[in-house]
Amino acid sequence: MDKVSWPATTQGALKLLNALPQTFRGEPLEVFSSPTEEEEEYGASASAQYGDDNSISVTDEYTTTDTESGEPELFTAEQLLAASFGLVFACAKRSYRGTIKPLEGGQGPGYDSPARSSKTNWFSCRIDGAEGDDDFTGHAVGWTSKKAAWLVIAEDEKAARTIIAGLEASSK
């Protein structure tokens, strides 16, 4: 992850998502985006999916007032990545790897990352369970690129690697 210069916003990511192969493992590519307006509470997002089991999501950091003090605070790409993974999925025991400090027990990336980093931070793990589906398994790879959080959820590690290779090829 840290060897590629990834787009730092969803607008740049959308170009890569639209350049992905039109099918993967027999499933068609679907690309979605949600631009942000000044009045909106959340940052912009873009996503692509191949069927139900292989997806890529990219979300821009944003300023939130949903804080203890009620004061505006930056919700960084690192925090977005932790939230977008941890609200739905859990890592299988002893499978977490990465430069982002994991949550206690290694169940996913932690929220205690420093403010926006200029370097790419990443994590990878086998997925063992999802909100509403304890039997869900798969593979996750997530990384940050300045203001953007990237998350690939795939049916297995080989699929995740292939999807990321497709993104990387689209970036050239």
mmCIF file of all heavy atoms in Angstrom, residues 46-101:
data_model
loop_
_atom_site.group_PDB
_atom_site.id
_atom_site.type_symbol
_atom_site.label_atom_id
_atom_site.label_comp_id
_atom_site.label_asym_id
_atom_site.label_seq_id
_atom_site.Cartn_x
_atom_site.Cartn_y
_atom_site.Cartn_z
ATOM 1 N N ALA A 46 -16.997 7.474 -2.254
ATOM 2 C CA ALA A 46 -17.098 6.780 -3.535
ATOM 3 C C ALA A 46 -16.916 5.296 -3.236
ATOM 4 O O ALA A 46 -16.198 4.922 -2.308
ATOM 5 C CB ALA A 46 -16.032 7.267 -4.504
ATOM 6 N N SER A 47 -17.587 4.462 -4.017
ATOM 7 C CA SER A 47 -17.428 3.030 -3.807
ATOM 8 C C SER A 47 -17.648 2.283 -5.108
ATOM 9 O O SER A 47 -18.246 2.798 -6.055
ATOM 10 C CB SER A 47 -18.410 2.526 -2.735
ATOM 11 O OG SER A 47 -19.750 2.735 -3.157
ATOM 12 N N ALA A 48 -17.133 1.080 -5.126
ATOM 13 C CA ALA A 48 -17.320 0.183 -6.260
ATOM 14 C C ALA A 48 -17.551 -1.197 -5.693
ATOM 15 O O ALA A 48 -17.026 -1.535 -4.625
ATOM 16 C CB ALA A 48 -16.090 0.189 -7.164
ATOM 17 N N GLN A 49 -18.360 -1.965 -6.396
ATOM 18 C CA GLN A 49 -18.554 -3.330 -5.926
ATOM 19 C C GLN A 49 -18.755 -4.274 -7.093
ATOM 20 O O GLN A 49 -19.216 -3.873 -8.163
ATOM 21 C CB GLN A 49 -19.711 -3.430 -4.951
ATOM 22 C CG GLN A 49 -21.069 -3.101 -5.502
ATOM 23 C CD GLN A 49 -22.117 -3.120 -4.414
ATOM 24 O OE1 GLN A 49 -21.965 -2.467 -3.396
ATOM 25 N NE2 GLN A 49 -23.174 -3.859 -4.636
ATOM 26 N N TYR A 50 -18.340 -5.499 -6.833
ATOM 27 C CA TYR A 50 -18.549 -6.616 -7.744
ATOM 28 C C TYR A 50 -19.420 -7.606 -6.978
ATOM 29 O O TYR A 50 -18.925 -8.355 -6.134
ATOM 30 C CB TYR A 50 -17.230 -7.284 -8.117
ATOM 31 C CG TYR A 50 -16.288 -6.447 -8.946
ATOM 32 C CD1 TYR A 50 -15.183 -5.839 -8.375
ATOM 33 C CD2 TYR A 50 -16.486 -6.296 -10.318
ATOM 34 C CE1 TYR A 50 -14.292 -5.100 -9.142
ATOM 35 C CE2 TYR A 50 -15.597 -5.560 -11.091
ATOM 36 C CZ TYR A 50 -14.506 -4.966 -10.500
ATOM 37 O OH TYR A 50 -13.615 -4.234 -11.263
ATOM 38 N N GLY A 51 -20.712 -7.572 -7.200
ATOM 39 C CA GLY A 51 -21.620 -8.458 -6.479
ATOM 40 C C GLY A 51 -21.654 -8.105 -5.001
ATOM 41 O O GLY A 51 -21.333 -6.991 -4.596
ATOM 42 N N ASP A 52 -22.032 -9.069 -4.186
ATOM 43 C CA ASP A 52 -22.187 -8.839 -2.747
ATOM 44 C C ASP A 52 -20.908 -9.021 -1.949
ATOM 45 O O ASP A 52 -20.830 -8.594 -0.802
ATOM 46 C CB ASP A 52 -23.246 -9.792 -2.170
ATOM 47 C CG ASP A 52 -24.637 -9.484 -2.688
ATOM 48 O OD1 ASP A 52 -24.888 -8.320 -3.081
ATOM 49 O OD2 ASP A 52 -25.467 -10.411 -2.717
ATOM 50 N N ASP A 53 -19.890 -9.673 -2.536
ATOM 51 C CA ASP A 53 -18.743 -10.086 -1.731
ATOM 52 C C ASP A 53 -17.437 -9.328 -1.960
ATOM 53 O O ASP A 53 -16.464 -9.572 -1.262
ATOM 54 C CB ASP A 53 -18.471 -11.576 -1.952
ATOM 55 C CG ASP A 53 -19.619 -12.437 -1.471
ATOM 56 O OD1 ASP A 53 -20.277 -12.057 -0.487
ATOM 57 O OD2 ASP A 53 -19.862 -13.496 -2.088
ATOM 58 N N ASN A 54 -17.387 -8.415 -2.933
ATOM 59 C CA ASN A 54 -16.139 -7.714 -3.236
ATOM 60 C C ASN A 54 -16.423 -6.238 -3.447
ATOM 61 O O ASN A 54 -17.138 -5.870 -4.382
ATOM 62 C CB ASN A 54 -15.492 -8.308 -4.499
ATOM 63 C CG ASN A 54 -15.142 -9.765 -4.312
ATOM 64 O OD1 ASN A 54 -14.234 -10.094 -3.549
ATOM 65 N ND2 ASN A 54 -15.855 -10.651 -4.976
ATOM 66 N N SER A 55 -15.860 -5.398 -2.562
ATOM 67 C CA SER A 55 -16.160 -3.967 -2.649
ATOM 68 C C SER A 55 -14.954 -3.121 -2.268
ATOM 69 O O SER A 55 -14.044 -3.568 -1.577
ATOM 70 C CB SER A 55 -17.337 -3.616 -1.739
ATOM 71 O OG SER A 55 -16.983 -3.830 -0.383
ATOM 72 N N ILE A 56 -14.986 -1.888 -2.740
ATOM 73 C CA ILE A 56 -13.981 -0.880 -2.415
ATOM 74 C C ILE A 56 -14.742 0.358 -1.987
ATOM 75 O O ILE A 56 -15.682 0.771 -2.670
ATOM 76 C CB ILE A 56 -13.114 -0.510 -3.648
ATOM 77 C CG1 ILE A 56 -12.479 -1.747 -4.272
ATOM 78 C CG2 ILE A 56 -12.060 0.522 -3.282
ATOM 79 C CD1 ILE A 56 -12.967 -2.005 -5.653
ATOM 80 N N SER A 57 -14.369 0.945 -0.872
ATOM 81 C CA SER A 57 -14.995 2.208 -0.473
ATOM 82 C C SER A 57 -13.901 3.216 -0.134
ATOM 83 O O SER A 57 -12.850 2.861 0.389
ATOM 84 C CB SER A 57 -15.935 2.018 0.712
ATOM 85 O OG SER A 57 -15.237 1.573 1.838
ATOM 86 N N VAL A 58 -14.178 4.466 -0.468
ATOM 87 C CA VAL A 58 -13.254 5.560 -0.204
ATOM 88 C C VAL A 58 -14.074 6.692 0.403
ATOM 89 O O VAL A 58 -15.128 7.049 -0.129
ATOM 90 C CB VAL A 58 -12.553 6.050 -1.492
ATOM 91 C CG1 VAL A 58 -11.505 7.100 -1.159
ATOM 92 C CG2 VAL A 58 -11.940 4.892 -2.256
ATOM 93 N N THR A 59 -13.595 7.227 1.512
ATOM 94 C CA THR A 59 -14.311 8.296 2.200
ATOM 95 C C THR A 59 -13.339 9.413 2.544
ATOM 96 O O THR A 59 -12.233 9.160 3.011
ATOM 97 C CB THR A 59 -14.946 7.760 3.506
ATOM 98 O OG1 THR A 59 -15.680 6.577 3.210
ATOM 99 C CG2 THR A 59 -15.876 8.775 4.116
ATOM 100 N N ASP A 60 -13.778 10.657 2.320
ATOM 101 C CA ASP A 60 -12.965 11.824 2.669
ATOM 102 C C ASP A 60 -13.154 12.179 4.136
ATOM 103 O O ASP A 60 -14.273 12.093 4.662
ATOM 104 C CB ASP A 60 -13.384 13.048 1.849
ATOM 105 C CG ASP A 60 -12.863 13.013 0.426
ATOM 106 O OD1 ASP A 60 -11.991 12.185 0.119
ATOM 107 O OD2 ASP A 60 -13.348 13.824 -0.384
ATOM 108 N N GLU A 61 -12.071 12.610 4.770
ATOM 109 C CA GLU A 61 -12.200 13.112 6.143
ATOM 110 C C GLU A 61 -13.078 14.359 6.128
ATOM 111 O O GLU A 61 -13.269 14.992 5.084
ATOM 112 C CB GLU A 61 -10.835 13.405 6.742
ATOM 113 C CG GLU A 61 -10.052 14.469 6.060
ATOM 114 C CD GLU A 61 -8.656 14.628 6.638
ATOM 115 O OE1 GLU A 61 -8.064 13.668 7.154
ATOM 116 O OE2 GLU A 61 -8.166 15.758 6.563
ATOM 117 N N TYR A 62 -13.621 14.685 7.290
ATOM 118 C CA TYR A 62 -14.513 15.836 7.387
ATOM 119 C C TYR A 62 -14.496 16.367 8.812
ATOM 120 O O TYR A 62 -14.014 15.701 9.736
ATOM 121 C CB TYR A 62 -15.943 15.471 6.962
ATOM 122 C CG TYR A 62 -16.571 14.380 7.805
ATOM 123 C CD1 TYR A 62 -17.362 14.697 8.906
ATOM 124 C CD2 TYR A 62 -16.365 13.040 7.505
ATOM 125 C CE1 TYR A 62 -17.923 13.701 9.684
ATOM 126 C CE2 TYR A 62 -16.926 12.041 8.267
ATOM 127 C CZ TYR A 62 -17.714 12.372 9.357
ATOM 128 O OH TYR A 62 -18.280 11.382 10.125
ATOM 129 N N THR A 63 -15.051 17.547 8.981
ATOM 130 C CA THR A 63 -15.161 18.138 10.312
ATOM 131 C C THR A 63 -16.523 17.782 10.875
ATOM 132 O O THR A 63 -17.545 17.934 10.204
ATOM 133 C CB THR A 63 -14.993 19.676 10.246
ATOM 134 O OG1 THR A 63 -13.692 19.940 9.688
ATOM 135 C CG2 THR A 63 -15.088 20.292 11.626
ATOM 136 N N THR A 64 -16.531 17.282 12.091
ATOM 137 C CA THR A 64 -17.765 16.874 12.742
ATOM 138 C C THR A 64 -17.976 17.656 14.032
ATOM 139 O O THR A 64 -17.013 18.091 14.660
ATOM 140 C CB THR A 64 -17.759 15.360 13.050
ATOM 141 O OG1 THR A 64 -19.002 15.000 13.654
ATOM 142 C CG2 THR A 64 -16.618 14.975 13.980
ATOM 143 N N THR A 65 -19.230 17.829 14.402
ATOM 144 C CA THR A 65 -19.551 18.409 15.712
ATOM 145 C C THR A 65 -20.114 17.338 16.632
ATOM 146 O O THR A 65 -20.551 17.633 17.739
ATOM 147 C CB THR A 65 -20.563 19.571 15.583
ATOM 148 O OG1 THR A 65 -21.727 19.085 14.905
ATOM 149 C CG2 THR A 65 -19.946 20.739 14.833
ATOM 150 N N ASP A 66 -20.099 16.083 16.164
ATOM 151 C CA ASP A 66 -20.554 14.958 16.981
ATOM 152 C C ASP A 66 -19.406 14.548 17.912
ATOM 153 O O ASP A 66 -18.810 13.484 17.776
ATOM 154 C CB ASP A 66 -20.977 13.805 16.081
ATOM 155 C CG ASP A 66 -21.609 12.667 16.860
ATOM 156 O OD1 ASP A 66 -21.970 12.867 18.033
ATOM 157 O OD2 ASP A 66 -21.725 11.562 16.294
ATOM 158 N N THR A 67 -19.094 15.444 18.846
ATOM 159 C CA THR A 67 -17.993 15.248 19.779
ATOM 160 C C THR A 67 -18.509 15.437 21.202
ATOM 161 O O THR A 67 -19.603 15.967 21.401
ATOM 162 C CB THR A 67 -16.862 16.260 19.512
ATOM 163 O OG1 THR A 67 -17.387 17.574 19.676
ATOM 164 C CG2 THR A 67 -16.310 16.109 18.099
ATOM 165 N N GLU A 68 -17.735 14.996 22.173
ATOM 166 C CA GLU A 68 -18.129 15.165 23.578
ATOM 167 C C GLU A 68 -18.406 16.611 23.920
ATOM 168 O O GLU A 68 -19.382 16.934 24.586
ATOM 169 C CB GLU A 68 -17.029 14.620 24.511
ATOM 170 C CG GLU A 68 -17.335 13.247 25.032
ATOM 171 C CD GLU A 68 -16.298 12.799 26.037
ATOM 172 O OE1 GLU A 68 -16.108 13.484 27.075
ATOM 173 O OE2 GLU A 68 -15.692 11.750 25.778
ATOM 174 N N SER A 69 -17.549 17.495 23.436
ATOM 175 C CA SER A 69 -17.684 18.916 23.765
ATOM 176 C C SER A 69 -18.677 19.640 22.858
ATOM 177 O O SER A 69 -19.103 20.748 23.167
ATOM 178 C CB SER A 69 -16.326 19.608 23.644
ATOM 179 O OG SER A 69 -15.920 19.631 22.283
ATOM 180 N N GLY A 70 -19.022 19.017 21.727
ATOM 181 C CA GLY A 70 -19.878 19.684 20.763
ATOM 182 C C GLY A 70 -19.116 20.633 19.859
ATOM 183 O O GLY A 70 -19.675 21.234 18.952
ATOM 184 N N GLU A 71 -17.821 20.770 20.120
ATOM 185 C CA GLU A 71 -16.971 21.636 19.297
ATOM 186 C C GLU A 71 -16.580 20.902 18.013
ATOM 187 O O GLU A 71 -16.376 19.690 18.024
ATOM 188 C CB GLU A 71 -15.706 22.017 20.065
ATOM 189 C CG GLU A 71 -15.961 22.901 21.269
ATOM 190 C CD GLU A 71 -16.530 24.256 20.891
ATOM 191 O OE1 GLU A 71 -16.029 24.867 19.917
ATOM 192 O OE2 GLU A 71 -17.496 24.696 21.540
ATOM 193 N N PRO A 72 -16.443 21.624 16.905
ATOM 194 C CA PRO A 72 -16.013 20.993 15.655
ATOM 195 C C PRO A 72 -14.646 20.328 15.812
ATOM 196 O O PRO A 72 -13.759 20.862 16.464
ATOM 197 C CB PRO A 72 -15.928 22.159 14.672
ATOM 198 C CG PRO A 72 -16.762 23.237 15.264
ATOM 199 C CD PRO A 72 -16.681 23.056 16.756
ATOM 200 N N GLU A 73 -14.513 19.155 15.213
ATOM 201 C CA GLU A 73 -13.264 18.399 15.281
ATOM 202 C C GLU A 73 -13.090 17.623 13.986
ATOM 203 O O GLU A 73 -14.062 17.109 13.425
ATOM 204 C CB GLU A 73 -13.336 17.429 16.470
ATOM 205 C CG GLU A 73 -12.047 16.726 16.770
ATOM 206 C CD GLU A 73 -12.179 15.884 18.036
ATOM 207 O OE1 GLU A 73 -12.407 16.459 19.112
ATOM 208 O OE2 GLU A 73 -12.068 14.652 17.920
ATOM 209 N N LEU A 74 -11.857 17.535 13.515
ATOM 210 C CA LEU A 74 -11.560 16.794 12.300
ATOM 211 C C LEU A 74 -11.717 15.298 12.560
ATOM 212 O O LEU A 74 -11.158 14.757 13.512
ATOM 213 C CB LEU A 74 -10.132 17.097 11.834
ATOM 214 C CG LEU A 74 -9.696 16.422 10.546
ATOM 215 C CD1 LEU A 74 -10.530 16.914 9.369
ATOM 216 C CD2 LEU A 74 -8.215 16.681 10.290
ATOM 217 N N PHE A 75 -12.489 14.618 11.715
ATOM 218 C CA PHE A 75 -12.604 13.163 11.737
ATOM 219 C C PHE A 75 -11.642 12.689 10.649
ATOM 220 O O PHE A 75 -11.937 12.774 9.464
ATOM 221 C CB PHE A 75 -14.044 12.741 11.460
ATOM 222 C CG PHE A 75 -14.386 11.334 11.857
ATOM 223 C CD1 PHE A 75 -13.816 10.736 12.975
ATOM 224 C CD2 PHE A 75 -15.299 10.614 11.129
ATOM 225 C CE1 PHE A 75 -14.155 9.440 13.352
ATOM 226 C CE2 PHE A 75 -15.651 9.322 11.488
ATOM 227 C CZ PHE A 75 -15.076 8.736 12.600
ATOM 228 N N THR A 76 -10.432 12.286 11.049
ATOM 229 C CA THR A 76 -9.337 12.017 10.121
ATOM 230 C C THR A 76 -9.575 10.747 9.305
ATOM 231 O O THR A 76 -10.401 9.896 9.643
ATOM 232 C CB THR A 76 -8.006 11.854 10.870
ATOM 233 O OG1 THR A 76 -8.073 10.672 11.670
ATOM 234 C CG2 THR A 76 -7.686 13.070 11.721
ATOM 235 N N ALA A 77 -8.796 10.613 8.250
ATOM 236 C CA ALA A 77 -8.866 9.419 7.413
ATOM 237 C C ALA A 77 -8.584 8.166 8.246
ATOM 238 O O ALA A 77 -9.233 7.137 8.077
ATOM 239 C CB ALA A 77 -7.884 9.531 6.253
ATOM 240 N N GLU A 78 -7.622 8.249 9.163
ATOM 241 C CA GLU A 78 -7.298 7.105 10.013
ATOM 242 C C GLU A 78 -8.496 6.711 10.881
ATOM 243 O O GLU A 78 -8.813 5.535 11.038
ATOM 244 C CB GLU A 78 -6.083 7.415 10.891
ATOM 245 C CG GLU A 78 -4.765 7.440 10.143
ATOM 246 C CD GLU A 78 -4.456 8.748 9.411
ATOM 247 O OE1 GLU A 78 -5.290 9.690 9.447
ATOM 248 O OE2 GLU A 78 -3.393 8.831 8.784
ATOM 249 N N GLN A 79 -9.189 7.702 11.444
ATOM 250 C CA GLN A 79 -10.360 7.429 12.262
ATOM 251 C C GLN A 79 -11.517 6.900 11.414
ATOM 252 O O GLN A 79 -12.240 6.003 11.834
ATOM 253 C CB GLN A 79 -10.772 8.684 13.026
ATOM 254 C CG GLN A 79 -9.760 9.091 14.076
ATOM 255 C CD GLN A 79 -9.984 10.503 14.593
ATOM 256 O OE1 GLN A 79 -10.395 11.397 13.860
ATOM 257 N NE2 GLN A 79 -9.699 10.704 15.876
ATOM 258 N N LEU A 80 -11.686 7.451 10.219
ATOM 259 C CA LEU A 80 -12.725 6.962 9.305
ATOM 260 C C LEU A 80 -12.503 5.502 8.955
ATOM 261 O O LEU A 80 -13.454 4.714 8.898
ATOM 262 C CB LEU A 80 -12.716 7.780 8.014
ATOM 263 C CG LEU A 80 -13.512 9.047 7.996
ATOM 264 C CD1 LEU A 80 -13.165 9.877 6.771
ATOM 265 C CD2 LEU A 80 -14.989 8.748 8.030
ATOM 266 N N LEU A 81 -11.264 5.146 8.689
ATOM 267 C CA LEU A 81 -10.947 3.768 8.341
ATOM 268 C C LEU A 81 -11.314 2.835 9.493
ATOM 269 O O LEU A 81 -11.941 1.794 9.286
ATOM 270 C CB LEU A 81 -9.462 3.645 7.990
ATOM 271 C CG LEU A 81 -8.988 2.293 7.492
ATOM 272 C CD1 LEU A 81 -9.779 1.840 6.271
ATOM 273 C CD2 LEU A 81 -7.502 2.357 7.171
ATOM 274 N N ALA A 82 -10.944 3.214 10.704
ATOM 275 C CA ALA A 82 -11.281 2.394 11.873
ATOM 276 C C ALA A 82 -12.794 2.267 12.030
ATOM 277 O O ALA A 82 -13.313 1.177 12.285
ATOM 278 C CB ALA A 82 -10.661 2.999 13.130
ATOM 279 N N ALA A 83 -13.505 3.373 11.852
ATOM 280 C CA ALA A 83 -14.957 3.353 12.014
ATOM 281 C C ALA A 83 -15.629 2.551 10.901
ATOM 282 O O ALA A 83 -16.509 1.726 11.176
ATOM 283 C CB ALA A 83 -15.502 4.775 12.044
ATOM 284 N N SER A 84 -15.227 2.754 9.653
ATOM 285 C CA SER A 84 -15.905 2.072 8.553
ATOM 286 C C SER A 84 -15.675 0.566 8.590
ATOM 287 O O SER A 84 -16.531 -0.202 8.159
ATOM 288 C CB SER A 84 -15.496 2.650 7.201
ATOM 289 O OG SER A 84 -14.125 2.519 6.976
ATOM 290 N N PHE A 85 -14.557 0.125 9.142
ATOM 291 C CA PHE A 85 -14.335 -1.312 9.293
ATOM 292 C C PHE A 85 -14.994 -1.822 10.571
ATOM 293 O O PHE A 85 -15.767 -2.774 10.552
ATOM 294 C CB PHE A 85 -12.835 -1.644 9.328
ATOM 295 C CG PHE A 85 -12.574 -3.112 9.528
ATOM 296 C CD1 PHE A 85 -12.666 -3.980 8.460
ATOM 297 C CD2 PHE A 85 -12.260 -3.623 10.772
ATOM 298 C CE1 PHE A 85 -12.458 -5.345 8.627
ATOM 299 C CE2 PHE A 85 -12.037 -4.974 10.958
ATOM 300 C CZ PHE A 85 -12.139 -5.838 9.882
ATOM 301 N N GLY A 86 -14.713 -1.165 11.689
ATOM 302 C CA GLY A 86 -15.107 -1.673 12.995
ATOM 303 C C GLY A 86 -16.593 -1.643 13.300
ATOM 304 O O GLY A 86 -17.059 -2.375 14.172
ATOM 305 N N LEU A 87 -17.359 -0.831 12.590
ATOM 306 C CA LEU A 87 -18.798 -0.808 12.834
ATOM 307 C C LEU A 87 -19.500 -2.015 12.236
ATOM 308 O O LEU A 87 -20.636 -2.306 12.588
ATOM 309 C CB LEU A 87 -19.421 0.479 12.273
ATOM 310 C CG LEU A 87 -19.043 1.746 13.020
ATOM 311 C CD1 LEU A 87 -19.600 2.970 12.305
ATOM 312 C CD2 LEU A 87 -19.552 1.704 14.454
ATOM 313 N N VAL A 88 -18.841 -2.723 11.334
ATOM 314 C CA VAL A 88 -19.474 -3.861 10.662
ATOM 315 C C VAL A 88 -18.697 -5.158 10.848
ATOM 316 O O VAL A 88 -19.278 -6.204 11.068
ATOM 317 C CB VAL A 88 -19.643 -3.568 9.148
ATOM 318 C CG1 VAL A 88 -20.286 -4.746 8.430
ATOM 319 C CG2 VAL A 88 -20.450 -2.308 8.929
ATOM 320 N N PHE A 89 -17.367 -5.102 10.758
ATOM 321 C CA PHE A 89 -16.553 -6.309 10.683
ATOM 322 C C PHE A 89 -15.650 -6.486 11.898
ATOM 323 O O PHE A 89 -15.416 -5.550 12.645
ATOM 324 C CB PHE A 89 -15.666 -6.260 9.428
ATOM 325 C CG PHE A 89 -16.442 -6.111 8.158
ATOM 326 C CD1 PHE A 89 -16.486 -4.892 7.503
ATOM 327 C CD2 PHE A 89 -17.131 -7.178 7.617
ATOM 328 C CE1 PHE A 89 -17.205 -4.737 6.329
ATOM 329 C CE2 PHE A 89 -17.855 -7.041 6.450
ATOM 330 C CZ PHE A 89 -17.900 -5.817 5.798
ATOM 331 N N ALA A 90 -15.100 -7.698 12.019
ATOM 332 C CA ALA A 90 -14.091 -8.000 13.032
ATOM 333 C C ALA A 90 -13.017 -8.867 12.391
ATOM 334 O O ALA A 90 -13.318 -9.741 11.573
ATOM 335 C CB ALA A 90 -14.706 -8.732 14.222
ATOM 336 N N CYS A 91 -11.764 -8.612 12.759
ATOM 337 C CA CYS A 91 -10.655 -9.423 12.261
ATOM 338 C C CYS A 91 -10.629 -10.767 12.983
ATOM 339 O O CYS A 91 -10.933 -10.854 14.180
ATOM 340 C CB CYS A 91 -9.319 -8.722 12.516
ATOM 341 S SG CYS A 91 -9.057 -7.246 11.531
ATOM 342 N N ALA A 92 -10.237 -11.799 12.259
ATOM 343 C CA ALA A 92 -10.016 -13.100 12.873
ATOM 344 C C ALA A 92 -8.817 -12.990 13.815
ATOM 345 O O ALA A 92 -7.892 -12.204 13.575
ATOM 346 C CB ALA A 92 -9.750 -14.146 11.793
ATOM 347 N N LYS A 93 -8.834 -13.763 14.875
ATOM 348 C CA LYS A 93 -7.741 -13.723 15.852
ATOM 349 C C LYS A 93 -6.403 -13.954 15.179
ATOM 350 O O LYS A 93 -6.263 -14.791 14.304
ATOM 351 C CB LYS A 93 -7.961 -14.781 16.930
ATOM 352 C CG LYS A 93 -9.103 -14.455 17.851
ATOM 353 C CD LYS A 93 -9.264 -15.511 18.917
ATOM 354 C CE LYS A 93 -10.442 -15.133 19.801
ATOM 355 N NZ LYS A 93 -10.739 -16.152 20.778
ATOM 356 N N ARG A 94 -5.418 -13.171 15.607
ATOM 357 C CA ARG A 94 -4.027 -13.258 15.166
ATOM 358 C C ARG A 94 -3.837 -13.053 13.663
ATOM 359 O O ARG A 94 -2.828 -13.474 13.114
ATOM 360 C CB ARG A 94 -3.391 -14.566 15.627
ATOM 361 C CG ARG A 94 -3.282 -14.663 17.146
ATOM 362 C CD ARG A 94 -2.630 -15.946 17.596
ATOM 363 N NE ARG A 94 -3.399 -17.150 17.364
ATOM 364 C CZ ARG A 94 -4.461 -17.546 18.078
ATOM 365 N NH1 ARG A 94 -4.877 -16.831 19.074
ATOM 366 N NH2 ARG A 94 -5.085 -18.659 17.779
ATOM 367 N N SER A 95 -4.772 -12.421 12.984
ATOM 368 C CA SER A 95 -4.593 -12.188 11.549
ATOM 369 C C SER A 95 -4.291 -10.721 11.228
ATOM 370 O O SER A 95 -3.945 -10.409 10.102
ATOM 371 C CB SER A 95 -5.840 -12.624 10.765
ATOM 372 O OG SER A 95 -6.930 -11.756 10.981
ATOM 373 N N TYR A 96 -4.396 -9.831 12.211
ATOM 374 C CA TYR A 96 -4.203 -8.399 11.966
ATOM 375 C C TYR A 96 -2.746 -8.081 11.709
ATOM 376 O O TYR A 96 -1.862 -8.504 12.433
ATOM 377 C CB TYR A 96 -4.684 -7.588 13.181
ATOM 378 C CG TYR A 96 -4.650 -6.095 12.944
ATOM 379 C CD1 TYR A 96 -5.774 -5.435 12.467
ATOM 380 C CD2 TYR A 96 -3.508 -5.345 13.188
ATOM 381 C CE1 TYR A 96 -5.754 -4.069 12.233
ATOM 382 C CE2 TYR A 96 -3.473 -3.974 12.964
ATOM 383 C CZ TYR A 96 -4.604 -3.347 12.484
ATOM 384 O OH TYR A 96 -4.584 -2.005 12.248
ATOM 385 N N ARG A 97 -2.493 -7.326 10.613
ATOM 386 C CA ARG A 97 -1.159 -6.812 10.296
ATOM 387 C C ARG A 97 -1.334 -5.367 9.851
ATOM 388 O O ARG A 97 -2.377 -4.999 9.326
ATOM 389 C CB ARG A 97 -0.529 -7.600 9.137
ATOM 390 C CG ARG A 97 -0.364 -9.065 9.369
ATOM 391 C CD ARG A 97 0.294 -9.778 8.174
ATOM 392 N NE ARG A 97 -0.288 -9.503 6.886
ATOM 393 C CZ ARG A 97 -1.188 -10.268 6.264
ATOM 394 N NH1 ARG A 97 -1.625 -11.361 6.828
ATOM 395 N NH2 ARG A 97 -1.642 -9.948 5.073
ATOM 396 N N GLY A 98 -0.305 -4.558 10.044
ATOM 397 C CA GLY A 98 -0.376 -3.214 9.514
ATOM 398 C C GLY A 98 0.400 -2.196 10.316
ATOM 399 O O GLY A 98 1.000 -2.514 11.342
ATOM 400 N N THR A 99 0.377 -0.967 9.817
ATOM 401 C CA THR A 99 1.059 0.131 10.489
ATOM 402 C C THR A 99 0.125 0.911 11.407
ATOM 403 O O THR A 99 0.594 1.723 12.189
ATOM 404 C CB THR A 99 1.662 1.108 9.458
ATOM 405 O OG1 THR A 99 0.605 1.645 8.652
ATOM 406 C CG2 THR A 99 2.693 0.421 8.576
ATOM 407 N N ILE A 100 -1.170 0.668 11.301
ATOM 408 C CA ILE A 100 -2.137 1.303 12.195
ATOM 409 C C ILE A 100 -2.243 0.446 13.440
ATOM 410 O O ILE A 100 -2.469 -0.764 13.347
ATOM 411 C CB ILE A 100 -3.516 1.438 11.529
ATOM 412 C CG1 ILE A 100 -3.418 2.313 10.284
ATOM 413 C CG2 ILE A 100 -4.540 2.011 12.516
ATOM 414 C CD1 ILE A 100 -4.689 2.351 9.451
ATOM 415 N N LYS A 101 -2.062 1.058 14.592
ATOM 416 C CA LYS A 101 -2.158 0.320 15.845
ATOM 417 C C LYS A 101 -3.554 -0.296 15.948
ATOM 418 O O LYS A 101 -4.563 0.390 15.798
ATOM 419 C CB LYS A 101 -1.906 1.273 17.023
ATOM 420 C CG LYS A 101 -1.916 0.592 18.360
ATOM 421 C CD LYS A 101 -1.620 1.574 19.466
ATOM 422 C CE LYS A 101 -1.719 0.871 20.806
ATOM 423 N NZ LYS A 101 -1.503 1.783 21.916
#
